[in-house]
Amino acid sequence: MDREQVKKILRFYYITDDKVPHFPPAEQVRIAIEGGATLIQYRNKSFSPNLHLAEAVLIREICKNAGIPLLVNDNIALALQIMADGVHLGQEDAPPAEARKMMGKDAIVGATVSSLEELARTDLTDCDYMGTGPVFPTRTKADAKAVKGLDGFKRIAETAPVPVVAIGGITAETALSCFEHAASGIAVISYISRAQNPAENARKLGKVCHSQV
């Protein structure tokens, strides 16, 4: 996949939230796609095949029917099992080269890089993109790193050899500023999953993201 195709896919990147009562990830994905999401990541840090495999398969079908790529967070084996389009890997996960070897040349492989220091020691040869943040304060991830701010994000994005997605505390009101600071895309979780009106927020975000294509 060439860089321009990757950038188009990254514009509006939704990551599922498994910690929201009465708002299952599959429904989150439907709403995000209806609002204009261009990429979905299935993220469940407590994933259990007995409890969650059916959910992952359902999300795969929703994405497939909508023509939207699906990535799986951390779990290469699950990505292969449900025939996802790729994976997103953290610094403590398998190396991108392993994902590429297992999933093939057409898979989308992403990695998290949180600082210039991490960037210097991370081999991104087999990555299509990387995610950096938090750009703004966020409460979604308990293990979130220090807030980068827009200027800190820009320094990383302009140094990176691959397109960069901004994540962390992003809203429809701040998304454009991320694009103006070298982001190829923006990723959100709680702006949709924990909103009073998730569908409205998804639509607002989709409008901002696609207005700058």
Side-chain angles (χ1 to χ4, degrees), residues 14-21 23 28 140 188-196 198 201:
Y14 181 68
I15 302 171
T16 62
D17 187 345
D18 64 308
K19 305 296 185 185
V20 185
F23 192 17
Q28 297 170 30
T140 306
V188 298
I189 303 176
S190 62
Y191 183 66
I192 292 175
S193 69
R194 306 187 187 197
Q196 287 189 337
N201 279 11

Side-chain angles (χ1 to χ4, degrees), residues 94-105:
E98 182 176 334
R100 179 65 66 201
K101 182 178 180 181
M102 294 177 67
M103 298 198 69
K105 64 181 179 64

Side-chain angles (χ1 to χ4, degrees), residues 35-173:
T38 53
L39 181 63
I40 300 294
Q41 180 191 133
Y42 177 63
R43 181 178 187 269
N44 187 336
K45 290 293 187 179
S46 58
F47 180 83
S48 164
N50 291 337
L51 296 175
H52 304 113
L53 181 58
E55 171 181 88
V57 170
L58 174 58
I59 290 172
R60 176 68 187 108
E61 288 307 304
I62 293 168
C63 291
K64 183 177 180 180
N65 290 338
I68 301 298
L70 171 67
L71 308 186
V72 172
N73 181 265
D74 298 349
N75 195 330
I76 300 172
L78 176 62
L80 287 167
Q81 183 177 3
I82 67 171
M83 295 184 288
D85 298 286
V87 289
H88 183 89
L89 303 167
Q91 288 287 315
E92 306 303 319
D93 298 323
E98 182 176 334
R100 179 65 66 201
K101 182 178 180 181
M102 294 177 67
M103 298 198 69
K105 64 181 179 64
D106 295 327
I108 302 168
V109 178
T112 296
V113 176
S114 298
S115 65
L116 287 170
E117 291 74 22
E118 280 190 358
L119 179 58
R121 63 175 184 263
T122 302
D123 183 357
L124 296 169
T125 304
D126 291 287
C127 286
D128 296 291
Y129 78 93
M130 65 181 226
T132 293
V135 180
F136 306 107
T138 177
R139 291 178 292 177
T140 306
K141 291 187 177 183
D143 59 348
K145 303 291 179 68
V147 173
K148 302 290 175 291
L150 288 166
D151 290 338
F153 171 83
K154 185 177 181 179
R155 284 193 290 274
I156 296 171
E158 290 184 336
T159 305
V162 294
V164 181
V165 174
I167 189 169
I170 296 169
T171 67
E173 289 69 39

